[in-house]
Amino acid sequence: MTHPTLTLSQITEVVNDAYEIFRHDRSGHNASYIPYLADVPSELFGIAVCLCSGESVAVGDTDYLFGIESVSKVPTAILAMEQQGAEYVLEHIGANATGLPFNSILALLLEKEHPSTPLVNAGAIAACSMIEPRGDRAGKSEAIASFAGRLCGSRLPLIGELYRSESETNFNNRSILWLLRQENRLFDDPQTALDLYTEQCSLGVTARQLAVAGATISNDGFNPVSREQVFDRRLAPQIISLIATVGFYERTGEWLFRSGIPAKTGVGGGIMATVPGLMGIATFSPPLDESGNSVRGQKAITYIARKLGLNVYGSSRPVIAR
Ligand code: GLN
């Protein structure tokens, strides 16, 4: 089996082409159920790639600070596995797709003997409750934010206005919280768990930072920019399997079918993709499809994946020239 060799300049060319092809695409709509997100300029668009060597490519609005939203479920899931062990998280939260929207109450009601995943709202709130030091709101908040920052190679600031906007309107998540409590699926104070979840979703991130996070996961937990081993390398295939299973919620199968790349989306318009052993790819573009996944980001990553032959289910992925 031959493995084509890719150079940084070939990757740069394909990323620039993707940007040019999709830069005028206006399909989709900003998330509107969180007032702050409705007002983010829809035309913003950026694509960033970080290779496992630490080299990077960026085009467009890759330094714009946007709400990380559900992509934050990934670092917190890794942190929960680091702290409690992967089997504990599997047993107490799960690793299955729900096949339903990210904030589905129906999924939660159906789940009693069939736990789902830390990458949908219910499981993510449960994961926040699991984070150490339990009983210490400030300590848990710092643990979550600093771990996310280490994954991204630099600290993620809280967007205070987004946090307030989301806290005032998160009625659906409050319902999920109390159903979790009813089923004994929380491991710390309920209000704190929801508040930490809302806070982690309100962290600001750039596409460049998300590409570094994707590269760190692709690189067995070793951040190629900060040169830090951020998490136990044995957890990398496990977090990638969680991402592949449910990264686009009820549209995950379609996404994988088209792109062949495990990736996680957020309603802030970010997508973080991981190509194990090769690179992280991140896009930022606020307009979403009906499942809450960035429309232009999906098109751009799919284009890049096809042009560069990155499908993780294929047998001849490229190697990158040194
Ligand atoms: N904070 C958002 C929510 O809970 C995150 C959703 C998302 O990005 N899919 O609704």
Side-chain angles (χ1 to χ4, degrees):
M1 187 56 62
T2 55
H3 295 275
T5 303
L6 282 179
T7 61
L8 185 63
S9 71
Q10 285 170 311
I11 296 169
T12 306
E13 199 180 308
V14 169
V15 170
N16 286 335
D17 287 350
Y19 181 77
E20 288 305 325
I21 293 168
F22 301 112
R23 66 185 296 184
H24 299 298
D25 190 323
R26 292 283 179 274
S27 27
H29 299 282
N30 281 32
S32 56
Y33 74 105
I34 300 171
Y36 176 95
L37 297 179
D39 294 335
V40 176
S42 303
E43 65 279 7
L44 292 168
F45 180 38
I47 311 174
V49 169
C50 179
L51 304 183
C52 288
S53 60
E55 292 165 295
S56 64
V57 178
V59 57
D61 301 305
T62 51
D63 292 316
Y64 186 92
L65 197 72
F66 60 94
I68 188 170
E69 296 296 344
S70 282
V71 185
S72 68
K73 290 165 176 159
V74 172
T76 301
I78 302 172
L79 181 60
M81 292 196 284
E82 275 277 298
Q83 291 183 341
Q84 314 294 347
E87 283 299 321
Y88 183 92
V89 173
L90 180 65
E91 191 185 327
H92 292 86
I93 299 180
N96 289 311
T98 61
L100 288 166
F102 58 84
N103 55 1
S104 175
I105 288 174
L106 183 59
L108 182 57
L109 295 173
L110 294 171
E111 265 161 23
K112 288 187 181 150
E113 299 303 320
H114 169 81
S116 66
T117 163
L119 302 191
V120 300
N121 291 20
I125 295 167
C128 286
S129 78
M130 210 177 253
I131 296 301
E132 308 288 353
R134 294 190 209 183
D136 172 359
R137 194 215 174 282
K140 286 169 74 108
S141 166
E142 175 55 24
I144 290 169
S146 75
F147 187 80
R150 285 165 61 211
L151 198 67
C152 292
S154 50
R155 189 106 197 157
L156 307 184
L158 183 73
I159 305 178
E161 203 187 327
L162 173 56
Y163 173 59
R164 280 187 294 281
S165 179
E166 200 153 336
S167 299
E168 283 163 8
T169 53
N170 62 352
F171 307 111
N172 190 87
N173 287 340
R174 292 184 216 174
S175 310
I176 290 176
L177 179 76
W178 292 111
L179 288 169
L180 284 169
R181 174 66 191 81
Q182 166 75 16
E183 297 299 326
N184 288 319
R185 287 172 60 183
L186 293 174
F187 308 92
D188 204 348
D189 173 61
Q191 289 293 1
T192 304
L194 178 59
D195 195 30
L196 290 172
Y197 169 75
T198 311
E199 192 179 86
Q200 74 174 25
C201 287
S202 308
L203 293 172
V205 74
T206 66
R208 275 182 199 272
Q209 286 176 304
L210 274 191
V212 175
T216 303
I217 293 168
S218 307
N219 201 27
D220 292 332
F222 182 79
N223 185 319
V225 174
S226 66
R227 318 243 8 115
E228 181 198 3
Q229 185 70 43
V230 177
F231 63 86
D232 184 336
R233 58 180 299 130
R234 287 169 300 185
L235 297 176
Q238 293 175 320
I239 190 64
I240 294 170
S241 81
L242 292 174
I243 293 170
T245 301
V246 75
F248 284 66
Y249 310 110
E250 71 276 28
R251 294 263 172 95
T252 305
E254 278 169 61
W255 163 256
L256 280 180
F257 190 93
R258 290 212 176 93
S259 71
I261 308 275
K264 182 75 201 82
T265 66
V267 291
I271 303 182
M272 178 192 71
T274 68
V275 189
L278 291 183
M279 66 183 78
I281 309 173
T283 52
F284 167 54
S285 171
L288 311 175
D289 65 16
E290 274 153 25
S291 305
N293 305 314
S294 167
V295 174
R296 207 158 31 162
Q298 294 182 64
K299 291 180 183 172
I301 296 173
T302 302
Y303 176 88
I304 293 167
R306 288 186 182 166
K307 285 284 172 189
L308 298 179
L310 302 178
N311 194 320
V312 302
Y313 300 106
S315 59
S316 66
R317 271 189 299 141
V319 291
I320 296 182
R322 299 250 148 224

